[in-house]
């Protein structure tokens, strides 16, 4: 309990100093999600720092500041709607080129990436995985520090791909003239799904993606990223 209190104090101090030094950002909700994995890794490697907890704290601070200042991650914390929509446009394009059917369904239902994916990218998937899964995912993300957001988008598309069959098979679009209607295989007599019901169910699927093998997601993201580069 005393150790936990000590760690909390140090994490709070790092965030406080960052806010004082970087007035343009101050403190924004989500910074703690970015700092804690870094602090955990540095503390786990205390022996490399002569078991000096003050040095661990200092290195954690500089690692957090470097991550935020030296990559385009900081752009996700410009919380104006126009800025958020602009950041999600590239993700939407990558999603469209890789999963056109799923993308079409989301567009037809007016499900925006901001509604399910923005939190993935601004805190590096910190709320989507337990720490043992998160650390190798971060290794992969940080290996693309100079193009961090683009690789994050590739991970995002790989995540959506995990549930694309569920979305496409349960909510196929049936064209009727110039319009579309949604049909559910689970509906009695093939009744049309109300769009608001489909909206809620699909959004729930996207917000509750379960990943068992994080390396499978990383491998798929690498493949998507390589296709972008070629």
């Amino acid at each position: 309990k005393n150790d936990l209190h000590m760690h909390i104090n140090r994490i709070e101090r790092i965030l406080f100093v960052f806010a004082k030094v970087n007035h343009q950002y101050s403190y924004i909700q989500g910074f703690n999600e970015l700092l804690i994995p870094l602090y955990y890794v540095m503390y786990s490697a205390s022996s490399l720092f002569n078991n000096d907890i003050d040095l661990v704290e200092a290195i954690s601070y500089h690692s957090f500041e470097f991550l935020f200042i030296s990559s385009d991650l900081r752009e996700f914390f410009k919380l104006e709607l126009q800025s958020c929509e602009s950041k999600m446009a590239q993700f939407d394009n990558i999603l469209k080129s890789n999963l056109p059917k799923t993308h079409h369904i989301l567009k037809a239902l007016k499900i925006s990436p901001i509604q399910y994916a923005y939190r993935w990218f601004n805190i590096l998937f910190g709320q989507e995985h337990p720490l043992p899964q998160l650390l190798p995912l971060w290794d992969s993300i940080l290996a693309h520090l100079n193009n961090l957001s683009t690789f994050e988008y590739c991970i995002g598309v790989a995540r959506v791909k995990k549930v694309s069959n569920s979305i496409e098979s349960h909510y196929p679009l049936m064209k009727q003239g110039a319009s579309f209607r949604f049909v559910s295989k689970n509906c009695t007599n093939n009744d049309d799904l109300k769009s608001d019901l489909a909206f809620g169910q699909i959004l729930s699927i996207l917000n509750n993606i379960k990943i068992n093998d994080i390396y499978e997601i990383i491998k798929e993201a690498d493949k998507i990223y390589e296709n972008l580069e070629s």
Side-chain angles (χ1 to χ4, degrees), residues 93 120 127 134 220:
N93 289 334
W120 296 351
Q127 293 182 350
L134 192 63
E220 182 65 30

Side-chain angles (χ1 to χ4, degrees), residues 58 72 77 86 100 182:
D72 58 358
F77 288 89
S86 176
F182 287 88

Side-chain angles (χ1 to χ4, degrees), residues 39-185:
Y39 180 86
Y40 170 82
V41 168
M42 299 306 173
Y43 183 76
S44 298
S46 295
S47 60
L48 299 177
F49 309 118
N50 298 319
N51 294 312
D52 184 343
I53 187 61
D54 290 332
L55 186 55
V56 167
E57 180 181 336
I59 295 293
S60 298
Y61 169 84
H62 285 290
S63 298
F64 172 69
E65 187 174 57
F66 182 83
L67 169 64
F68 196 77
I69 301 300
S70 301
S71 74
D72 58 358
L73 181 64
R74 63 188 180 278
E75 298 298 322
F76 285 106
F77 288 89
K78 295 179 179 178
L79 301 180
E80 299 85 359
L81 180 59
Q82 185 176 0
S83 177
C84 294
E85 290 176 340
S86 176
K87 287 299 294 180
M88 302 294 4
Q90 185 182 1
F91 168 71
D92 196 56
N93 289 334
I94 298 172
L95 182 66
K96 182 179 181 179
S97 62
N98 285 272
L99 299 170
K101 289 183 180 179
T102 299
H103 180 270
H104 189 69
I105 291 172
L106 299 182
K107 281 295 183 183
L109 280 174
K110 298 181 180 179
I111 295 178
S112 165
I114 291 178
Q115 295 170 298
Y116 65 91
Y118 200 83
R119 76 168 193 267
W120 296 351
F121 305 133
N122 74 330
I123 56 173
L124 304 182
F125 305 92
Q127 293 182 350
E128 312 308 315
H129 302 282
L131 203 55
Q133 283 190 342
L134 192 63
L135 295 183
L137 188 66
W138 273 37
D139 280 345
S140 185
I141 292 171
L142 296 179
H144 299 82
L145 190 65
N146 293 331
N147 209 5
L148 185 143
S149 64
T150 300
F151 189 72
E152 278 201 278
Y153 297 150
C154 295
I155 296 172
V157 172
R159 289 175 58 83
V160 175
K161 187 174 181 179
K162 290 288 292 183
V163 295
S164 61
N165 286 340
S166 177
I167 292 173
E168 293 171 16
S169 64
H170 289 81
Y171 307 99
L173 282 169
M174 305 297 290
K175 192 169 184 178
Q176 292 183 321
S179 63
F180 290 88
R181 65 188 178 91
F182 287 88
V183 175
S184 172
K185 292 182 178 179

